[in-house]
Amino acid sequence: MFDLNGNWIRELGKKALIANQQVTPDPGYFTDGGREVTVDPATGYIWVGDMPDFRLQVFDPSQTVFANQVIMTEPNPPLPPPIGGFNGPRGVAIDRSGNLFFTDTYNQRIERLDALTGIWTSWGSRGRGDWAFNYPRMLATDPVDGSLVVADTDNHLIKKFSNDGTQLLWKVGGMGSKTSPLQFKNPHGVAIGPNRTIYIADSRNQRVVELDQNGVFIRAFGSNGNAPGMFKYPRGIILDDNGTPGDTSDDTLWVVDSVRNVVLHFTVTGTFLGEFGGPCVPANLCAANQFSGPFDVAATGGYLFIADAGTHFVRVWTNPCFGSVSATSCTLVPTYLQSIGLGRGKQFDGHMIQPQGLDVSADGQYLYVAEQSTDRVSVWKLYGP
């Protein structure tokens, strides 16, 4: 609070110091800051949107104590959105049976489209429980049993579900810094290797975290910075088998940094191999080989696909390490090839607005693109008749 001359008066509220953010903080405390503020002219009370804690908080400005709070309520039981629709989808994943999974981010749920029956199912609602989410972003499927790993981003958790969503197999995390191996800060990207190792882009901790199939910590790597090999906001991640699925010695990771506007290349143990791309200069005029807020990456058949959200295209680059003998034997830099899409728009097929999550079918023939601002997923045929 300030007076009209800009002189400081007092602060209201405190930051909640809770290691595992599964508990709503006490009145007057905020998990991740307030949002919009308004003043009730009748009472002078200050209303603050406490979005991460799913409530409004009300303060008496004449005192330093908490005045009141309003818990946001829903119809009982809650009325779910129609099945098969989206509100700001971020992630898409395909299992080996062809079943499709989507993070319906603003509807706080996971949706599943069965490949054989065409039947849609879903699970999730907003909250902090086992089957609840707080803006989930990306997801990936296990290559052995088809289980689903989801980044429950604003709950700072990683959750693993059975393929049909009826079982929560495990969850790990809670909000924390990179000094805590199994805590996260707004994780986004998820990738799973053929040996079932799970790779997490821990975005606000500027690192990649590796877990085994049971959620046990293996290692983490990455540091905060703008220099080559460093992260500002890693988002999308994919493990690339380099064309030899049965041989893990040449496997590498591609990681998208949305702030640095580059795609970084690492071995699976965190050795930096190189990066490509760069920010648009000037900011409103992007060359084809530059990025504007890239979100996700997919790799198949010697090509890399980058969802460049700010330009509304999927950029295609060569994968020069395709078929490499070992992870460190490739010293070549990817080459820009072309862009997929017809530019910004949603009225006609081929246009996109903010493409984000990507995945490729097991046969490498189809590219699936989650488009946040058109509330849809588009499918692109990459080759063949």
Side-chain angles (χ1 to χ4, degrees):
M1 293 177 58
F2 299 86
D3 66 19
L4 294 182
N5 294 317
N7 298 309
W8 179 84
I9 301 175
R10 67 173 60 91
E11 295 179 354
L12 300 174
K14 295 181 179 180
K15 179 174 177 58
L17 299 177
I18 301 176
N20 190 329
Q21 301 294 329
Q22 301 309 296
V23 179
T24 299
D26 291 335
Y29 288 79
F30 295 89
T31 295
D32 194 20
R35 295 304 193 264
E36 190 170 358
V37 177
T38 191
V39 178
D40 178 359
T43 64
Y45 283 178
I46 299 173
W47 292 58
V48 184
D50 185 8
M51 187 188 74
D53 298 316
F54 318 118
R55 65 186 179 183
L56 298 175
Q57 299 208 55
V58 188
F59 293 87
D60 182 347
S62 65
Q63 306 177 40
T64 59
V65 298
F66 179 79
N68 195 1
Q69 70 172 330
V70 179
I71 303 296
M72 302 305 293
T73 60
E74 300 182 42
N76 190 16
L79 302 177
I83 195 73
F86 300 114
N87 187 2
R90 294 300 203 281
V92 56
I94 312 161
D95 67 16
R96 291 187 177 275
S97 299
N99 301 309
L100 288 164
F101 301 85
F102 313 93
T103 48
D104 188 11
T105 300
Y106 289 159
N107 282 328
Q108 314 291 346
R109 65 179 178 178
I110 306 301
E111 293 198 77
R112 180 184 187 274
L113 177 60
D114 190 278
L116 294 178
T117 65
I119 295 175
W120 288 83
T121 54
S122 70
W123 67 92
S125 59
R126 188 169 188 192
R128 302 192 188 280
D130 288 349
W131 271 266
F133 299 101
N134 191 5
Y135 297 100
R137 267 36 172 222
M138 315 302 277
L139 69 177
T141 59
D142 185 288
V144 176
D145 62 8
S147 55
L148 188 70
V149 178
V150 181
D152 188 2
T153 301
D154 287 4
N155 278 333
H156 316 286
L157 292 170
I158 305 300
K159 296 178 177 179
K160 188 174 188 179
F161 297 92
S162 60
N163 187 270
D164 60 4
T166 59
Q167 299 178 64
L168 175 68
L169 303 178
W170 50 258
K171 65 179 180 180
V172 296
M175 189 169 72
S177 70
K178 62 178 65 178
T179 60
S180 303
L182 266 181
Q183 290 187 325
F184 302 96
K185 191 175 290 185
N186 301 107
H188 275 70
V190 181
I192 304 177
N195 65 352
R196 309 181 77 182
T197 299
I198 300 166
Y199 303 90
I200 308 297
D202 189 10
S203 300
R204 288 181 61 198
N205 278 328
Q206 295 92 23
R207 65 177 180 172
V208 171
V209 177
E210 297 183 27
L211 311 173
D212 73 8
Q213 67 191 61
N214 299 310
V216 176
F217 178 81
I218 299 174
R219 69 174 62 87
F221 63 87
S223 58
N224 181 17
N226 288 300
M230 302 177 76
F231 297 122
K232 293 305 293 184
Y233 205 92
R235 256 196 177 122
I237 185 170
I238 191 69
L239 184 131
D240 182 11
D241 62 24
N242 291 329
T244 55
D247 179 11
T248 60
S249 67
D250 60 348
D251 290 355
T252 56
L253 293 167
W254 300 94
V255 184
V256 171
D257 192 311
S258 294
V259 171
R260 291 190 57 224
N261 288 291
V262 296
V263 179
L264 300 94
H265 197 200
F266 297 90
T267 68
V268 294
T269 57
T271 299
F272 176 61
L273 299 175
E275 62 185 42
F276 66 91
C280 303
V281 181
N284 62 346
L285 184 62
C286 285
N289 60 352
Q290 297 173 328
F291 298 121
S292 176
F295 201 92
D296 199 14
V297 56
T300 186
Y303 301 100
L304 300 169
F305 302 88
I306 315 299
D308 196 23
T311 64
H312 316 289
F313 287 104
V314 175
R315 307 292 193 184
V316 185
W317 296 65
T318 63
N319 182 352
C321 302
F322 188 73
S324 295
V325 176
S326 67
T328 58
S329 65
C330 174
T331 59
L332 301 177
V333 177
T335 302
Y336 169 77
L337 291 178
Q338 67 181 75
S339 295
I340 294 176
L342 301 175
R344 189 182 191 281
K346 63 180 179 179
Q347 184 175 359
F348 303 105
D349 291 343
H351 291 268
M352 294 183 279
I353 304 179
Q354 289 191 304
Q356 300 205 343
L358 302 176
D359 203 5
V360 179
S361 58
D363 60 7
Q365 190 167 5
Y366 295 96
L367 175 71
Y368 292 78
V369 183
E371 302 176 29
Q372 176 198 342
S373 294
T374 57
D375 300 315
R376 67 185 181 187
V377 174
S378 56
V379 186
W380 300 79
K381 192 169 185 180
L382 298 179
Y383 68 90

